[in-house]
Amino acid sequence: MKNKTSEFFKNVEIMRDHMPSMIQKLLHSVQDRTSFNILSVGSGTGNMDLEILKIVKDELQRSQGCHQIKIFNRAIEINKYPCDLYKAAIKNFNDQQAHFDLRHQSFEEYAEEFTIWNSRSSMSFTSYTHGTPDEKNPESLETAEKMIEIAEKYGWKHEVYTHKYSIDVTEIFDPQSTEGNLLLDFITHIENYRGTADKKLLQETLALIEDLTTLKDGKRLGEKKESLIFIYK
């Protein structure tokens, strides 16, 4: 849990360092300021999205004539469990300025609509968090590459920020652990991986994770590289 908290605050720090200038560029580059659209890919439980929302609201309040702009937040999350937690969280989120649209689907399923979303939105901002190739997570990398490819094709701006941190994967080896199974889903980018993967493939995956990590004080730790991708017009 400590590692996850550290990871979260590091991501928030990156966002607070870089997002305000991106948002101000958006606000000053368009005339149609009726709605500020946020797309979150791999939104998880929504913790990061709510932080992004706070940053956007702060920048709208700082900008003349932008106080009443509505914020539309669409979230794409492939795993049902964190998606359900996200839905539960926003039920108690009393904010008339923000509207949420949660989609339980993969980016591959959403890709065509992603292009339409950005093309039609005068003020659109996309965030995506993914692991880098050394984590043996090709699907996540492919999603990142696809998003950047689309951004470059349509001339949208994109920025990538990468950081490293230690991650405790001990729970992955406990088949009864909800947190461990979610982490396994995240690493493999497949929902309910433990329950759907071929038994031999599952054992090979767990063996690979074991090989790539070290045992320290009874915990199995690995180094994780993570990138935040921001796409905006």
Side-chain angles (χ1 to χ4, degrees):
M1 187 62 69
K2 182 179 179 181
N3 289 324
K4 286 193 172 185
T5 302
S6 176
E7 167 196 349
F8 173 75
F9 283 112
K10 181 60 179 178
N11 284 335
V12 171
E13 180 183 346
I14 291 173
M15 291 190 301
R16 291 197 173 277
D17 283 345
H18 300 283
M19 277 185 60
S21 61
M22 299 179 202
I23 295 168
Q24 289 302 324
K25 288 176 185 176
L26 279 173
L27 294 176
H28 288 93
S29 64
V30 298
Q31 293 182 341
D32 178 13
R33 299 182 178 183
T34 55
S35 175
F36 192 104
N37 299 320
I38 303 170
L39 174 65
S40 169
V41 180
S43 58
T45 61
N47 288 344
M48 291 279 286
D49 288 10
L50 295 180
E51 290 297 326
I52 289 175
L53 183 62
K54 290 177 186 177
I55 296 171
V56 171
K57 288 190 67 174
D58 286 346
E59 294 307 310
L60 292 180
Q61 292 300 312
R62 287 178 50 201
S63 302
Q64 186 175 2
C66 297
H67 296 191
Q68 302 304 316
I69 291 177
K70 296 294 184 181
I71 303 172
F72 181 77
N73 191 104
R74 176 169 291 165
I76 309 299
E77 172 54 49
I78 191 172
N79 291 314
K80 187 176 185 302
Y81 181 72
C83 195
D84 288 343
L85 292 179
Y86 194 153
K87 290 178 181 178
I90 61 176
K91 281 184 179 179
N92 300 319
F93 191 75
N94 187 20
D95 190 325
Q96 300 301 315
Q97 189 177 7
H99 175 73
F100 293 87
D101 176 28
L102 273 58
R103 304 284 187 92
H104 174 214
Q105 61 183 148
S106 68
F107 178 74
E108 288 70 22
E109 295 169 328
Y110 183 76
E112 183 176 348
E113 196 170 344
F114 168 68
T115 302
I116 297 172
W117 160 278
N118 273 295
S119 297
R120 290 181 177 176
S121 302
S122 57
M123 289 194 298
S124 60
F125 180 87
T126 301
S127 69
Y128 176 56
T129 305
H130 81 100
T132 44
D134 61 308
E135 292 180 72
K136 312 300 180 185
N137 189 358
E139 293 86 357
S140 179
L141 180 63
E142 287 169 9
T143 298
E145 290 177 339
K146 180 65 174 178
M147 291 176 68
I148 292 174
E149 179 185 322
I150 294 173
E152 291 177 342
K153 178 180 178 180
Y154 289 92
W156 303 329
K157 302 177 184 70
H158 67 275
E159 299 181 21
V160 182
Y161 300 95
T162 301
H163 62 98
K164 298 179 182 179
Y165 56 90
S166 177
I167 182 171
D168 183 353
V169 299
T170 310
E171 293 291 321
I172 283 180
F173 298 93
D174 177 3
Q176 303 303 318
S177 170
T178 299
E179 183 175 338
N181 286 324
L182 287 173
L183 184 56
L184 184 59
D185 289 353
F186 177 77
I187 290 176
T188 60
H189 210 61
I190 297 174
E191 184 176 10
N192 190 24
Y193 183 79
R194 194 186 300 272
T196 58
D198 175 81
K199 288 186 178 180
K200 182 180 178 182
L201 179 60
L202 173 61
Q203 292 306 314
E204 290 176 350
T205 301
L206 294 175
L208 178 61
I209 294 173
E210 188 171 0
D211 288 343
L212 294 173
T213 56
T214 57
L215 192 62
K216 183 178 181 181
D217 298 328
K219 294 183 178 181
R220 187 153 292 280
L221 306 174
E223 184 182 82
K224 191 171 186 294
K225 291 182 181 179
E226 191 168 80
S227 294
L228 284 171
I229 300 176
F230 300 126
I231 297 174
Y232 57 103
K233 293 171 69 175

